[in-house]
Amino acid sequence: MPFAFMSMDHHQRLLIMLHLAWLIFLIRILIAGHEEQQQEYKRTSEEQKRRKRKKRSCHVRPWIKRRQKFGQYHTLLKELAEEDAEAYHNYHRVDEETFNELLNLIHDRIKKRTTNMREPIDPGMRLAITLRYLASGDSYHSLEFNFRVPHNTISGIVTETCQALYEELNREFLPCPTSEDKWLDVARGFARRWQFHNCVGALDGKHVRIKAPNKSGTVFYNYKGYFSLVLFGLVDADYNFLYIDVGRQGSASDGGIFKSCSLRRRFDEGTLGLPQPTPLPGDDFPLPFYIIGDDAFPLKEWLMKPFPHRGLSKSERVYNYRLSRARRVVENAFGVLAHRFRCLLTTMHQTPDHVEIIVMACCVLHNYIRKRNPRSFYALLDTEDIITHKVIPGKWRTTGALDSIEKMLTTNLMKRAKNQREYLREYYSGNCGRLEWQDDMI
């Protein structure tokens, strides 16, 4: 090619060079046009993105910004605190003094730092939102309009505050006894209040209704026909929870759930620090300490339950009455718990992990209020007529209640457990253990 080009005359070479120059010029124009199109496309894309961002006209909705002027925390609650203490208590399920005490305990745990973007929601409002949710069970969307706080923010506030409440109060107000002296204190409480001896707690289990978790299938679907988590609770003679276990999937058999419960394992292994067997009053036979439950639970040496309700003798009916009378404490504890914290009577829409945190917070708050303000329980609990000894229903029975667990199948009952129940049957019908009026109640 170079040789052919050189062999051409001057006119031909000049013509070819002009064509090449023109071709190069056209290529450069095409390249420049393409680059311009690319830049225009980039500018258009950025403009579209800016337009999309501009659709959000403000970082916080104007009416939410006015929470300090019109939100319930800064308006209604202040009015109630100054004018109507009873209404304030109904709103939060605690009085103003208790509210402030709880706030002081968890203030540092729930306090957030101020940033350049916004001021944080103060700890007092966080606690108020949480207690109102626990007390009412209102949806987060409803609370959004009451407190003028976005519902997604409320979701985080409730979980974080419940976690803080449980961690702060658990060690002092919900400790499971581990020493002989503490278990003896519990046993003395049952003997003094309910005339039921060597008893160290009343056990029951309930289903807490939840929304079906994503991609969970029927894992949480229980025999009642809804999705749930299971709550086990051991209660002392004064309606306080000694032990709770929450989070087991509702679809599991109640017997299987109870077998995996840490309390049962520790009873079976003998690692709870229970006192040595002690004779009942007026007797000399050493009887082991035990807990009591209803028909749902298996009969064990450490777990006494009623006789089956068919063809009972008089002494068996007496024993059943005495046991159910003492076991009434756990029925009332769960009843008051659900009456005070109505969120437990709703279908909870949080994830199972968050439901577990909320339920544990409710239980520890139950104990905290019981010990700090026992008078608030008087109207809620069942009472016994001092003359007729008939039960006067408490206020908690006017509202809904948590569903009990299914009756567990029991086989191969331990001979020692059956003998122990027979011994208690004879004792509470004999001269040493009987009550003057018990025959009138069967």
Side-chain angles (χ1 to χ4, degrees):
M1 183 68 184
F3 176 77
F5 179 77
M6 293 301 297
S7 64
M8 295 180 183
D9 58 22
H10 176 72
H11 179 73
Q12 290 176 326
R13 287 199 298 270
L14 181 61
L15 186 62
I16 291 175
M17 290 177 66
L18 287 173
H19 282 297
L20 289 173
W22 179 250
L23 182 60
I24 292 171
F25 175 73
L26 290 176
I27 292 173
R28 286 180 176 177
I29 290 176
L30 290 174
I31 293 174
H34 179 71
E35 290 177 350
E36 186 175 352
Q37 287 180 350
Q38 288 289 94
Q39 291 177 358
E40 180 65 24
Y41 176 77
K42 186 176 181 181
R43 284 194 299 270
T44 303
S45 297
E46 291 177 353
E47 182 66 23
Q48 290 176 347
K49 290 179 181 179
R50 281 196 295 271
R51 287 177 181 175
K52 288 182 179 179
R53 287 197 293 267
K54 286 182 179 179
K55 287 183 180 180
R56 184 173 181 177
S57 59
C58 58
H59 193 68
V60 179
R61 296 173 183 173
W63 63 272
I64 287 181
K65 289 182 178 180
R66 293 190 288 271
R67 71 166 66 103
Q68 293 189 1
K69 188 176 181 180
F70 299 111
Q72 287 189 1
Y73 178 70
H74 295 93
T75 56
L76 177 62
L77 282 175
K78 288 185 177 180
E79 290 181 282
L80 296 181
E82 295 172 359
E83 302 173 9
D84 195 336
E86 182 180 355
Y88 185 98
H89 183 277
N90 288 338
Y91 189 92
H92 275 152
R93 299 296 192 262
V94 295
D95 55 29
E96 185 182 13
E97 181 181 357
T98 304
F99 179 90
N100 292 329
E101 184 176 347
L102 286 171
L103 181 58
N104 290 333
L105 289 172
I106 66 171
H107 182 277
D108 293 340
R109 290 178 180 267
I110 62 176
K111 182 180 179 181
K112 303 296 181 180
R113 291 184 297 177
T114 303
T115 66
N116 294 330
M117 299 295 294
R118 70 186 79 176
E119 291 185 1
I121 299 172
D122 69 85
M125 182 181 287
R126 289 174 175 271
L127 179 59
I129 290 172
T130 301
L131 291 179
R132 183 56 186 165
Y133 168 72
L134 299 181
S136 67
D138 289 346
S139 69
Y140 292 160
H141 286 274
S142 177
L143 295 173
E144 175 181 19
F145 296 109
N146 293 340
F147 288 92
R148 296 181 181 245
V149 176
H151 64 87
N152 53 340
T153 303
I154 289 176
S155 176
I157 287 174
V158 170
T159 303
E160 291 174 7
T161 307
C162 284
Q163 182 75 43
L165 286 168
Y166 181 76
E167 291 176 354
E168 184 67 34
L169 302 176
N170 175 50
R171 185 170 298 179
E172 180 179 355
F173 294 95
L174 190 54
C176 185
T178 56
S179 66
E180 289 190 10
D181 290 340
K182 292 182 178 179
W183 284 118
L184 284 173
D185 286 341
V186 177
R188 282 191 284 265
F190 275 97
R192 182 181 66 256
R193 295 195 63 170
W194 308 108
Q195 295 79 51
F196 209 76
H197 306 283
N198 285 27
C199 177
V200 291
L203 182 68
D204 204 356
K206 301 292 183 180
H207 286 278
V208 178
R209 190 185 297 260
I210 65 172
K211 180 183 177 182
N214 292 334
K215 300 180 180 179
S216 64
T218 59
V219 172
F220 294 90
Y221 195 75
N222 65 27
Y223 77 102
K224 293 276 188 178
Y226 59 84
F227 296 86
S228 69
L229 293 178
V230 177
L231 166 64
F232 279 110
L234 183 69
V235 175
D236 68 11
D238 201 33
Y239 309 98
N240 295 299
F241 287 99
L242 297 173
Y243 165 90
I244 59 172
D245 183 289
V246 59
R248 311 289 176 174
Q249 298 163 346
S251 65
S253 68
D254 294 318
I257 295 172
F258 186 57
K259 284 181 180 179
S260 62
C261 178
S262 61
L263 183 69
R264 173 168 180 163
R265 291 198 303 270
R266 295 178 67 183
F267 265 114
D268 285 336
E269 296 167 359
T271 58
L272 275 171
L274 291 175
Q276 293 298 315
T278 302
L280 302 184
D283 202 5
D284 58 1
F285 176 76
L287 189 75
F289 287 82
Y290 54 88
I291 61 177
I292 55 178
D294 61 11
D295 288 332
F297 294 96
L299 181 67
K300 298 283 185 181
E301 190 175 7
W302 49 264
L303 200 166
M304 293 288 102
K305 58 181 287 187
F307 285 99
H309 295 278
R310 289 183 180 179
L312 297 180
S313 65
K314 179 181 178 180
S315 61
E316 289 173 338
R317 294 199 307 273
V318 167
Y319 165 83
N320 281 4
Y321 166 70
R322 296 289 295 274
L323 184 142
S324 65
R325 180 172 177 264
R327 203 194 66 81
R328 201 184 301 149
V329 292
V330 70
E331 182 184 3
N332 274 256
F334 274 114
V336 171
L337 178 73
H339 178 87
R340 189 182 297 275
F341 302 116
R342 303 290 178 88
C343 65
L344 300 177
L345 297 178
T346 66
T347 298
M348 303 183 72
H349 287 240
Q350 299 86 350
T351 63
D353 290 344
H354 289 176
V355 172
E356 183 178 344
I357 294 171
I358 292 171
V359 173
M360 291 191 300
C362 290
C363 292
V364 76
L365 281 172
H366 169 94
N367 283 7
Y368 176 84
I369 297 170
R370 177 65 181 155
K371 293 178 180 178
R372 285 285 189 268
N373 189 13
R375 290 185 178 181
S376 65
F377 279 73
Y378 290 163
L380 301 178
L381 297 168
D382 292 345
T383 54
E384 216 176 61
D385 188 284
I386 58 175
I387 298 176
T388 65
H389 299 284
K390 292 184 178 180
V391 177
I392 303 173
K395 190 177 179 180
W396 71 265
R397 295 186 182 273
T398 61
T399 57
L402 297 169
D403 287 329
S404 297
I405 59 174
E406 188 179 12
K407 183 176 180 179
M408 303 178 193
L409 297 176
T410 56
T411 56
N412 299 325
L413 297 179
M414 293 177 57
K415 185 177 180 180
R416 286 183 299 177
K418 294 177 69 175
N419 291 341
Q420 182 169 308
R421 184 167 64 176
E422 287 294 328
Y423 174 81
L424 289 170
R425 174 186 63 78
E426 294 178 1
Y427 176 82
Y428 287 118
S429 291
N431 294 330
C432 295
R434 74 185 312 274
L435 298 174
E436 294 179 0
W437 40 266
Q438 66 185 21
D439 290 350
D440 298 330
M441 307 305 297
I442 60 174

